[in-house]
Amino acid sequence: DVVQANLQILKGTTFLRRCNEIRAHPRLSADVPHSVTSKYVPLGPLQPTAGAPAVVPRTPAVGSAAAAASLRRVLLELDRDVTVPLAGGAKGIVHSIPWESLGYGSAEFMALYGTKYPLYTGAMAKGIASADLVVAGGKAGMLCSFGAGGLPPDATSAGLDKIQAALPNGPYAVNLIHSPFDDVLEKKNVDMFLKRGVRIVEASAFMKLTPHVVRYRVAGLERGSDGKVVCRNKIIFKVSRTELATMAMRPPPADMVAKLLAQGLVTAEQAELARSVTMCDDVAVEADSGGHTDNRPLVVLLPIILATRDAMAKETGMRVRVGAGGGMGCPEAVASAFQMGADFVLTGTINQLCKQSGSCDRVRKALSEATYSDIAMAPAADMFDQGVQLQVLKKGTMFPSRAKKLWELFIAYPSLEAIPAPMMERLEKQTFKKTVASIWAETRSFFIDRIGDPEKIERAEKDPKLKMSLVFRWYLGQSSMWANRGVEDRALDYQVWCGPAIGSFNEFIKGTYLDPAVSGEFPDVVQANLQILKGTTFLRRCNEIRAHPRLSADVPHSVTSKYVPLGPLQPTAGAPAVVPRTPAVGSAAAAASLRRVLLELDRDVTVPLAGGAKGIVHSIPWESLGYGSAEFMALYGTKYPLYTGAMAKGIASADLVVAGGKAGMLCSFGAGGLPPDATSAGLDKIQAALPNGPYAVNLIHSPFDDVLEKKNVDMFLKRGVRIVEASAFMKLTPHVVRYRVAGLERGSDGKVVCRNKIIFKVSRTELATMAMRPPPADMVAKLLAQGLVTAEQAELARSVTMCDDVAVEADSGGHTDNRPLVVLLPIILATRDAMAKETGMRVRVGAGGGMGCPEAVASAFQMGADFVLTGTINQLCKQSGSCDRVRKALSEATYSDIAMAPAADMFDQGVQLQVLKKGTMFPSRAKKLWELFIAYPSLEAIPAPMMERLEKQTFKKTVASIWAETRSFFIDRIGDPEKIERAEKDPKLKMSLVFRWYLGQSSMWANRGVEDRALDYQVWCGPAIGSFNEFIKGTYLDPAVSGEFPDVVQANL
């Protein structure tokens, strides 16, 4: 059920907030066992909230600006408890937040690696994570990983000389990168690490275990004097997929260990002990990061791998810690990772901007000016033959486009000699800037003299494809070296590994002492990471204030506003105080009892502590989850700081909206893409069942169907639709502006009343800015001249924003820019704060995309969201407008069963949307249509054999009959004969409309369950489906258990 689905996610979110309160309390964290705060599981149906929510007005007891500023100052002193005066003479306590309390396993992580922080700086290959960077971090007690990946052995050895001389006792780590095409290099690195006593390795890019990484692990095993296994060689394993995490969390493979024993590379005792250890000590989940990445959203991937870890712990009896990386560019992102359950975090991209990195100042300057969108994917040097890509900076360099061209040539031709002469001439002149012959001579020398791998050259001399690969990889390899060394005449070829976190980091430090534009120098790596950690801890304190029923009302927002680095921080002195966990709540029965009462979220819980003391865990009302949650709930008449987002073409059906509305949950009807008569029929059902709401209706921007957008607004105004969810708007249109302004009036108290409310979905900062400003004056003037708004409404339009709420849409189903929420949300929150200063009007900001489990939703609220929206998960619910065949496919999908494909509504612009790829050929067939649209000027120009295949396999009818249907649709149903007239004269537009017939029908076939078109189903789907399926697995919401698809209210509750 759609209500149950959403209610369960909200309840789990609130339970996580309580668990965080326990972790933050110095005594509760030690006395409450992990079983009490373990993963939330839906145990049975929930009752929707009865009555209206209790909205407490904010009348702060801390009234004056001076008192607020004073309180903020002491809150920023994170190492001591703060007593806050409350109204009526009472007091509230905000507890200190030691670093080791940030994650459940943070203290263990810090103790194992001898570091003072639950954070490490990840390796950036080719020495970008330089010896200087590692030494600077290590001297401050911060674990940093040396970027040995991609360096020849002599350069790695030189780096180790410097590191080991400066840090004889650590902490430091060294990167071991998987080298599938340079096995000799990987072996030589392991030889070196073992010989030189490197005790911490960060293993990355491993698609499978190799004898070399297994040897490193096993060769460090011995039995201690107490009989326990001692593991000298520690491994942090970077992973981006569940199967890789599983591989790293199991013991070293027995067959591989046996071979190492037979070769004399490990001892018999070590081979025996290998059964009782895992391949690694820690798994670092690498989400959307710079360099090698699968671009997975952290809010989906981390909860799934945490669940994988818990399953593996049951299987092996050994529990591996899990950390989070990718997008860690600001306190909000790091706080969200700890909120979801990370034991530690790792930063990456941001450290390349720091002065100790192995890059050059020109690259640092480019990074300091980059935004979250200034990145692209390009072929990777180390896995070029496999088609693997990595994420790089695209601003100010031609590397991404030139590297992609090399890949296209590699695919198209069998050898260098087969490449056409004009193309080869351009390559040598513009890209390589030297002859292929000279490149090959350099390549021979590199592999024979520096790497010591003459066999590779011998093979390449006999294999033209391998030779072409090595020549192209010369460019890919040199391009990063040119960037590191700052080679001026190769600036347009700089390869700069970079993730979207650079945008949130630049926003975080803007205008502070860390900003190069302010200080005149690039930031220090220790200061950059310490400031993020301090901001994270401050956010945790702010959450404690929000969760406290009195503190939340008595502390003004200025006290808990965004953390800003004000000046250099002193690294932690001495070793961290690691408190052993000896829970006072000792027995399993007592722990189970405590967990039961903690799940009763509407009352405070008193917890017995050691020595007879007691701790209090406060109730968490829904309205306290986000700072603006209560206002959101009051404005829309909903009982929850959540709404279910519209899925177009009626997938977010009238039945779904009614089910949610009857439970007091705001749901948005998927009117986008429906003809007006279908939208009207849906509204009939909704308005009959919910005469007083709550419900919303989607208004989707239709750049090529302006008439449809206008007709929808006409209908909404006529029928009194009071909440619209505006989506896919790349610019404001007269129609959406008219909807907003036509609802304005002046109340009896003289204040502006805005009857027509808008939630604006955005995925870019410029769109958020557009939505947070008043309606454009010129557009309002035209509406006034046309008689579509009154003079009073036009006047009042100056004093309202275009929307009431902005919903930040990250990596979601359907239309999406695939941006990571942990980067995008903090940036748009900062944009909102800037716009509030400019306009004097503050818009609430919510979070969507990846909201498939409590951990994701809790992370959104932790970052500062006022509300959340769910999407993909609701399509699986029984009330959605989809068919059971689609629901079943969704219920079996993982986070990786998705792909991008052309969008019907913006096909001509090349816009894509995210869809399910498992069990359907739609993504590949739709992409083929786009390729044909680009390649040919008209339908008639498409070669006859290709057109025959299209009509037979894809369309399953003739183009003539499709055109007849298209004519009828636009003339009879949409009422837009002008479009048909234009298409009859414009062959390209006609081709577009025919291809869009397939794109449009494919979603209809999926919704209606048309059996003979199952292979063409277009199912909009985001990666959240994977985390939702993991969340409900084995519970009453799991279709495999219950025999039915979940209720929408239960799922969200």
Side-chain angles (χ1 to χ4, degrees):
D1 174 81
V2 74
V3 176
Q4 285 294 307
N6 284 274
L7 282 181
Q8 287 288 1
I9 286 178
L10 262 190
K11 181 172 181 181
T13 299
T14 313
F15 177 68
L16 276 170
R17 178 69 63 78
R18 299 193 99 168
C19 296
N20 248 8
E21 189 176 354
I22 289 172
R23 276 213 301 269
H25 191 292
R27 292 293 303 281
L28 284 172
S29 61
D31 284 3
V32 175
H34 180 64
S35 60
V36 173
T37 57
S38 59
K39 180 181 175 181
Y40 174 78
V41 177
L43 297 177
L46 300 175
Q47 289 302 311
T49 301
V55 180
V56 181
R58 292 187 181 274
T59 52
V62 182
S64 71
S70 175
L71 176 56
R72 183 174 172 90
R73 277 195 300 274
V74 293
L75 279 178
L76 285 168
E77 297 171 17
L78 303 173
D79 56 352
R80 63 189 183 97
D81 292 351
V82 176
T83 301
V84 182
L86 304 177
K91 295 179 179 179
I93 295 178
V94 184
H95 295 98
S96 65
I97 311 282
W99 304 128
E100 54 268 27
S101 74
L102 285 173
Y104 187 81
S106 293
E108 295 171 356
F109 176 89
M110 293 159 67
L112 182 69
Y113 298 114
T115 176
K116 298 175 181 178
Y117 313 100
L119 167 151
Y120 83 94
T121 70
M124 294 169 284
K126 293 206 172 180
I128 295 173
S130 66
D132 289 339
L133 186 151
V134 173
V135 169
K139 285 186 173 180
M142 185 176 289
L143 179 65
C144 300
S145 183
F146 174 50
L151 291 180
D154 55 347
T156 300
S157 184
L160 277 174
D161 288 342
K162 180 179 284 191
I163 293 167
Q164 292 182 322
L167 303 170
N169 301 312
Y172 69 88
V174 181
N175 180 225
L176 176 66
I177 196 166
H178 178 41
S179 304
F181 300 102
D182 285 318
D183 186 71
V184 171
L185 179 59
E186 191 178 318
K187 177 184 181 299
K188 287 194 173 191
N189 277 333
V190 169
D191 288 342
M192 185 192 310
F193 299 164
L194 291 173
K195 182 178 180 181
R196 300 195 56 154
V198 171
R199 290 305 186 189
I200 307 173
V201 151
E202 179 197 39
S204 61
F206 279 83
M207 307 302 288
K208 61 180 182 179
L209 293 178
T210 66
H212 313 304
V213 71
V214 172
R215 176 188 167 209
Y216 175 81
R217 182 65 164 174
V218 177
L221 298 176
E222 60 185 66
R223 196 174 294 283
S225 57
D226 58 357
K228 293 181 179 178
V229 180
V230 177
C231 197
R232 301 286 183 199
N233 295 343
K234 303 166 185 71
I235 296 182
I236 302 172
F237 225 105
K238 274 180 168 175
V239 305
S240 57
R241 303 178 191 178
T242 49
E243 64 270 23
L244 304 181
T246 301
M247 172 185 82
M249 292 175 181
R250 285 201 167 104
D255 57 342
M256 212 172 270
V257 173
K259 288 180 182 177
L260 291 170
L261 176 61
Q263 294 167 343
L265 296 173
V266 300
T267 67
E269 181 184 56
Q270 288 167 341
E272 176 66 25
L273 295 177
R275 301 176 185 177
S276 55
V277 300
T278 50
M279 257 308 298
C280 68
D281 302 277
D282 293 87
V283 156
V285 176
E286 198 171 23
D288 198 345
S289 59
H292 284 287
T293 179
D294 283 342
N295 302 110
R296 301 298 180 197
L298 188 70
V299 294
V300 170
L301 188 62
L302 179 58
I304 289 175
I305 290 186
L306 285 167
T308 300
R309 185 271 310 278
D310 293 344
M312 291 303 301
K314 289 180 181 177
E315 176 188 314
T316 66
M318 295 176 282
R319 184 181 176 84
V320 172
R321 286 177 300 274
V322 174
M328 299 293 105
C330 62
E332 292 83 357
V334 173
S336 79
F338 283 123
Q339 173 73 71
M340 286 188 281
D343 297 307
F344 62 94
V345 295
L346 63 146
T347 55
T349 289
I350 69 167
N351 301 313
Q352 188 170 187
L353 171 55
C354 294
K355 61 187 178 185
Q356 296 97 338
S357 79
S359 203
C360 70
D361 281 352
R362 183 162 183 159
V363 165
R364 291 188 187 94
K365 187 173 189 300
L367 288 168
S368 73
E369 297 169 350
T371 70
Y372 67 92
S373 59
D374 289 327
I375 51 175
M377 299 299 291
D382 55 338
M383 298 185 185
F384 179 76
D385 304 53
Q386 294 172 305
V388 173
Q389 293 192 315
L390 36 66
Q391 197 154 228
V392 296
L393 189 69
K394 69 180 179 183
K395 188 176 182 179
T397 173
M398 294 184 71
F399 170 79
S401 58
R402 287 177 172 174
K404 285 178 183 177
K405 186 62 182 178
L406 293 181
W407 170 249
E408 292 168 4
L409 294 173
F410 182 73
I411 292 298
Y413 298 101
S415 66
L416 291 165
E417 292 73 21
I419 297 173
M423 174 58 69
M424 181 57 79
E425 186 178 339
R426 281 200 299 276
L427 282 181
E428 291 184 327
K429 186 176 181 181
Q430 296 176 5
T431 303
F432 299 152
K433 294 189 179 178
K434 59 172 61 184
T435 65
V436 165
S438 63
I439 292 171
W440 182 241
E442 285 185 31
T443 304
R444 281 179 54 87
S445 174
F446 178 80
F447 278 98
I448 295 172
D449 301 331
R450 292 197 72 183
I451 300 296
D453 188 6
E455 291 81 5
K456 175 153 282 182
I457 296 301
E458 290 172 14
R459 293 202 313 275
E461 303 259 321
K462 298 172 185 174
D463 181 350
K465 198 76 172 178
L466 175 56
K467 184 176 181 180
M468 177 162 50
S469 164
L470 293 180
V471 167
F472 288 177
R473 285 171 60 195
W474 170 90
Y475 173 77
L476 301 178
Q478 291 294 303
S479 58
S480 54
M481 182 273 289
W482 295 325
N484 293 352
R485 295 182 184 175
V487 179
E488 285 294 326
D489 66 339
R490 298 310 303 248
L492 285 179
D493 294 286
Y494 284 0
Q495 177 184 175
V496 181
W497 302 314
C498 179
I502 196 64
S504 54
F505 181 68
N506 285 336
E507 179 64 45
F508 172 54
I509 66 172
K510 186 166 67 178
T512 75
Y513 79 102
L514 290 174
D515 186 346
V518 173
S519 65
E521 64 175 359
F522 298 105
D524 171 79
V525 70
V526 175
Q527 286 296 308
N529 284 273
L530 278 184
Q531 287 288 3
I532 287 176
L533 264 189
K534 181 172 181 181
T536 299
T537 312
F538 179 68
L539 277 171
R540 177 71 61 83
R541 297 193 101 168
C542 296
N543 251 4
E544 189 178 353
I545 290 172
R546 276 213 303 269
H548 192 291
R550 292 292 305 280
L551 285 171
S552 60
D554 284 2
V555 174
H557 180 64
S558 60
V559 173
T560 57
S561 59
K562 180 180 174 175
Y563 175 78
V564 176
L566 297 176
L569 301 175
Q570 290 301 311
T572 302
V578 179
V579 181
R581 291 186 182 275
T582 52
V585 183
S587 71
S593 176
L594 177 55
R595 183 173 172 91
R596 276 196 300 275
V597 294
L598 279 177
L599 284 168
E600 297 172 17
L601 304 172
D602 56 353
R603 65 189 181 98
D604 292 352
V605 175
T606 301
V607 182
L609 304 177
K614 294 179 180 179
I616 294 178
V617 183
H618 294 98
S619 65
I620 311 282
W622 303 126
E623 54 267 26
S624 75
L625 285 173
Y627 187 82
S629 294
E631 294 171 356
F632 176 89
M633 294 160 65
L635 182 70
Y636 298 114
T638 176
K639 298 175 180 178
Y640 313 101
L642 167 151
Y643 83 93
T644 70
M647 294 168 285
K649 293 203 172 182
I651 295 173
S653 66
D655 289 338
L656 186 152
V657 173
V658 169
K662 285 185 173 179
M665 185 176 288
L666 180 64
C667 302
S668 183
F669 174 49
L674 291 179
D677 56 346
T679 299
S680 185
L683 278 173
D684 289 341
K685 180 179 284 191
I686 293 167
Q687 292 183 320
L690 303 171
N692 301 312
Y695 68 88
V697 181
N698 179 225
L699 176 65
I700 197 167
H701 178 40
S702 305
F704 299 102
D705 287 317
D706 184 72
V707 171
L708 179 60
E709 191 178 318
K710 177 184 180 299
K711 287 194 172 190
N712 277 331
V713 168
D714 288 342
M715 185 193 310
F716 299 163
L717 291 173
K718 183 179 179 181
R719 299 195 57 154
V721 171
R722 291 305 185 190
I723 308 172
V724 151
E725 179 197 39
S727 61
F729 280 83
M730 306 303 287
K731 62 180 181 179
L732 293 178
T733 65
H735 314 305
V736 71
V737 171
R738 175 188 168 209
Y739 174 81
R740 180 66 164 174
V741 177
L744 297 176
E745 59 186 66
R746 196 173 294 282
S748 56
D749 58 359
K751 293 181 180 178
V752 179
V753 177
C754 196
R755 301 286 182 198
N756 295 343
K757 303 166 186 71
I758 296 181
I759 302 172
F760 225 106
K761 276 180 168 175
V762 305
S763 58
R764 303 177 190 176
T765 49
E766 63 271 22
L767 303 181
T769 300
M770 171 185 84
M772 292 174 182
R773 285 200 167 104
D778 58 340
M779 211 172 270
V780 173
K782 287 180 182 177
L783 291 170
L784 175 61
Q786 294 166 346
L788 295 173
V789 300
T790 68
E792 181 184 55
Q793 289 168 340
E795 176 66 25
L796 295 177
R798 302 176 186 177
S799 55
V800 298
T801 51
M802 257 309 298
C803 68
D804 302 276
D805 294 87
V806 156
V808 176
E809 198 171 25
D811 198 344
S812 58
H815 283 287
T816 179
D817 283 342
N818 303 109
R819 301 298 181 195
L821 188 70
V822 295
V823 170
L824 189 61
L825 179 58
I827 290 174
I828 291 186
L829 285 167
T831 301
R832 184 271 308 277
D833 293 345
M835 292 303 301
K837 289 180 181 177
E838 176 187 315
T839 65
M841 295 176 281
R842 184 181 175 85
V843 171
R844 286 177 300 273
V845 174
M851 299 293 105
C853 61
E855 292 84 354
V857 173
S859 80
F861 284 122
Q862 174 72 73
M863 285 188 280
D866 297 307
F867 61 94
V868 294
L869 64 145
T870 55
T872 289
I873 69 165
N874 301 314
Q875 188 171 186
L876 171 55
C877 293
K878 61 187 178 186
Q879 298 98 335
S880 80
S882 203
C883 70
D884 282 350
R885 183 164 185 157
V886 166
R887 292 188 187 94
K888 186 172 190 301
L890 288 168
S891 74
E892 297 169 351
T894 70
Y895 67 93
S896 59
D897 290 325
I898 51 175
M900 298 300 292
D905 55 340
M906 297 185 186
F907 179 76
D908 303 55
Q909 293 172 306
V911 173
Q912 294 191 316
L913 36 66
Q914 195 154 228
V915 296
L916 189 70
K917 70 179 179 183
K918 187 177 183 180
T920 173
M921 293 183 71
F922 171 77
S924 58
R925 287 176 171 174
K927 286 178 183 177
K928 186 62 182 178
L929 294 181
W930 171 250
E931 291 167 5
L932 294 172
F933 182 73
I934 291 299
Y936 299 101
S938 66
L939 290 166
E940 292 73 19
I942 297 174
M946 174 57 69
M947 181 58 78
E948 187 179 340
R949 280 200 300 276
L950 282 181
E951 292 183 326
K952 186 176 181 180
Q953 296 176 5
T954 302
F955 299 151
K956 293 189 178 178
K957 59 173 60 183
T958 65
V959 165
S961 62
I962 292 171
W963 183 241
E965 285 184 30
T966 303
R967 282 178 53 87
S968 174
F969 177 80
F970 278 97
I971 295 171
D972 302 331
R973 292 198 71 182
I974 300 296
D976 188 6
E978 292 81 4
K979 177 153 282 184
I980 296 301
E981 291 172 13
R982 293 202 312 275
E984 301 273 2
K985 301 172 184 175
D986 181 352
K988 197 76 172 177
L989 175 57
K990 183 176 181 179
M991 177 162 50
S992 164
L993 294 180
V994 167
F995 287 177
R996 285 171 61 196
W997 170 89
Y998 173 77
L999 301 179
Q1001 291 294 303
S1002 58
S1003 54
M1004 181 273 288
W1005 295 326
N1007 293 352
R1008 296 181 183 175
V1010 179
E1011 285 294 326
D1012 66 338
R1013 299 311 301 250
L1015 285 179
D1016 293 286
Y1017 283 1
Q1018 178 185 174
V1019 181
W1020 301 314
C1021 179
I1025 196 65
S1027 54
F1028 182 68
N1029 286 334
E1030 179 62 46
F1031 171 54
I1032 67 172
K1033 187 166 66 178
T1035 75
Y1036 81 101
L1037 289 174
D1038 186 347
V1041 173
S1042 65
E1044 64 175 359
F1045 298 105
D1047 170 80
V1048 70
V1049 176
Q1050 285 295 308
N1052 283 274
L1053 270 186

